[in-house]
């Protein structure tokens, strides 16, 4: 007679919030979500709940990453249509961010965090930011300013990567010009572009988006100064 098999325990069934925080911290270079701002804490708690439900239904991190990529590509495709379409692009931007966070949550809950997964997430981050800038170009943003913002993003992330390679922890290098700021500014620009086009026209939308990009560039410069200050203090 064949002995009855013992069911494989579900890792999500016994993982508490504290256990999730510990796993998240371990996969994000020591960053503790409990020390984040209230908005980010609520965002991660929501991802923890949603990720737990999805994991029980067999969802995997790769599924969420695929959704995030699709949403990133839809952002510029919607934005370039003009009119009220940038508002839909903003919705896809939010959905892409949510999918990315849930994918990271699933990696923690299922014990599938890895350096390769972190590498793919970095590539996804840069892809989405390129898509955001293309979307802003599609609603009339000034091209030279767009290129300047893109250059600042590249410089910011390159310096962080090089500093990380020689010992600077990513958790200690957060600045005002980081990806969350870029995401919220892009979201704001798309929503304002949709509203301005509906009320006045495309010219006003282009001017508003360009002003938002000026703010993006200014914060990027400040963030770069913060990052260089941290690098100098830590690595000297």
């Amino acid at each position: 007679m064949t002995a009855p098999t013992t069911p494989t325990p579900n890792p999500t069934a016994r993982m508490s919030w504290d256990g999730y925080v510990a796993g998240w911290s371990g996969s994000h270079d020591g960053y503790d979500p409990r020390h984040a701002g209230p908005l980010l804490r609520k965002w991660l708690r929501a991802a923890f709940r949603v990720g737990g439900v999805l994991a029980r239904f067999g969802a995997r991190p790769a599924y969420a990453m695929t959704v995030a990529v699709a949403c990133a590509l839809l952002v510029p495709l919607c934005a370039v249509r003009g009119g009220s379409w940038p508002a839909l692009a903003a919705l896809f931007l939010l959905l892409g961010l949510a999918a990315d966070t849930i994918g990271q949550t699933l990696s923690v809950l299922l014990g599938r965090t890895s350096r390769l997964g972190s590498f793919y997430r970095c590539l996804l981050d840069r892809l989405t930011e390129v898509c955001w800038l293309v979307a802003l170009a599609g609603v009339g943003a000034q091209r030279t300013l767009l290129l300047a913002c893109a250059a600042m993003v590249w410089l910011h992330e390159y310096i962080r990567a090089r500093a990380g390679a020689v010992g600077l922890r990513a958790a200690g290098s957060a600045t005002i010009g980081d990806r969350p700021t870029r995401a919220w500014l892009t979201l704001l620009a798309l929503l304002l572009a949709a509203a301005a086009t509906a009320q006045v026209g495309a010219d006003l939308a282009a001017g508003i988006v360009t002003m938002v990009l000026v703010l993006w560039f200014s914060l990027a410069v400040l963030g770069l100064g913060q990052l260089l200050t941290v690098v100098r203090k830590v690595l000297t």
Side-chain angles (χ1 to χ4, degrees), residues 3-22:
T5 59
T6 303
T8 303
N10 184 350
T12 66
R14 62 174 183 269
M15 181 172 285
S16 64
W17 168 249
D18 288 337
Y20 167 73
V21 166

Side-chain angles (χ1 to χ4, degrees), residues 43-117:
W43 178 269
L44 292 177
R45 274 194 173 274
F48 172 64
R49 297 189 185 100
V50 173
V53 173
L54 292 177
R56 294 186 185 98
F57 282 93
R60 296 293 180 264
Y63 303 167
M65 183 175 288
T66 301
V67 173
V69 170
C71 288
L73 295 175
L74 286 169
V75 170
L77 290 177
C78 291
V80 297
R81 296 177 67 89
S84 60
W85 282 88
L88 182 59
L91 176 60
F92 279 122
L93 187 154
L94 279 176
L95 290 176
L97 292 174
D100 181 30
T101 306
I102 290 171
Q104 296 179 58
T105 296
L106 287 170
S107 296
V108 174
L109 293 176
L110 300 174
R112 297 192 175 187
T113 58
S114 65
R115 289 183 296 177
L116 181 60

Side-chain angles (χ1 to χ4, degrees), residues 190-205:
L190 291 172
L191 292 175
L192 290 177
T197 302
Q199 296 297 322
V200 179
D203 289 341
L204 178 61

Side-chain angles (χ1 to χ4, degrees), residues 19-33 108 113-114 118 121 169:
Y20 167 73
V21 166
W24 182 279
S25 178
S27 63
H28 288 77
D29 200 22
Y31 180 76
D32 190 335
V108 174
T113 58
S114 65
S118 297
R121 282 198 300 273
R169 296 175 62 184

Side-chain angles (χ1 to χ4, degrees), residues 2-235:
T2 304
T5 59
T6 303
T8 303
N10 184 350
T12 66
R14 62 174 183 269
M15 181 172 285
S16 64
W17 168 249
D18 288 337
Y20 167 73
V21 166
W24 182 279
S25 178
S27 63
H28 288 77
D29 200 22
Y31 180 76
D32 190 335
R34 290 171 296 195
H35 300 155
L39 183 60
L40 181 55
R41 287 200 305 270
K42 290 179 181 179
W43 178 269
L44 292 177
R45 274 194 173 274
F48 172 64
R49 297 189 185 100
V50 173
V53 173
L54 292 177
R56 294 186 185 98
F57 282 93
R60 296 293 180 264
Y63 303 167
M65 183 175 288
T66 301
V67 173
V69 170
C71 288
L73 295 175
L74 286 169
V75 170
L77 290 177
C78 291
V80 297
R81 296 177 67 89
S84 60
W85 282 88
L88 182 59
L91 176 60
F92 279 122
L93 187 154
L94 279 176
L95 290 176
L97 292 174
D100 181 30
T101 306
I102 290 171
Q104 296 179 58
T105 296
L106 287 170
S107 296
V108 174
L109 293 176
L110 300 174
R112 297 192 175 187
T113 58
S114 65
R115 289 183 296 177
L116 181 60
S118 297
F119 172 74
Y120 285 143
R121 282 198 300 273
C122 288
L123 289 182
L124 175 60
D125 288 348
R126 303 292 80 77
L127 169 66
T128 55
E129 288 168 347
V130 168
C131 290
W132 297 346
L133 290 170
V134 172
L136 296 181
V139 293
Q142 211 275 336
R143 301 300 173 88
T144 302
L145 187 55
L146 278 170
L147 291 175
C149 289
M152 289 301 296
V153 172
W154 175 84
L155 185 60
H156 201 116
E157 298 303 329
Y158 177 78
I159 291 174
R160 173 176 285 129
R162 295 306 305 162
V166 293
L168 178 65
R169 296 175 62 184
S173 62
T175 74
I176 196 173
D178 280 350
R179 176 177 163 81
T181 300
R182 301 167 204 153
W184 292 118
L185 287 176
T186 306
L187 181 68
L188 176 64
L190 291 172
L191 292 175
L192 290 177
T197 302
Q199 296 297 322
V200 179
D203 289 341
L204 178 61
I208 290 175
V209 171
T210 297
M211 286 191 293
V212 174
L213 276 176
V214 169
L215 179 58
W216 174 328
F217 183 80
S218 300
L219 293 176
V221 171
L222 291 175
L224 185 61
Q226 289 178 310
L227 181 59
L228 290 173
T229 299
V230 171
V231 170
R232 183 174 181 179
K233 287 181 179 179
V234 173
L235 300 184

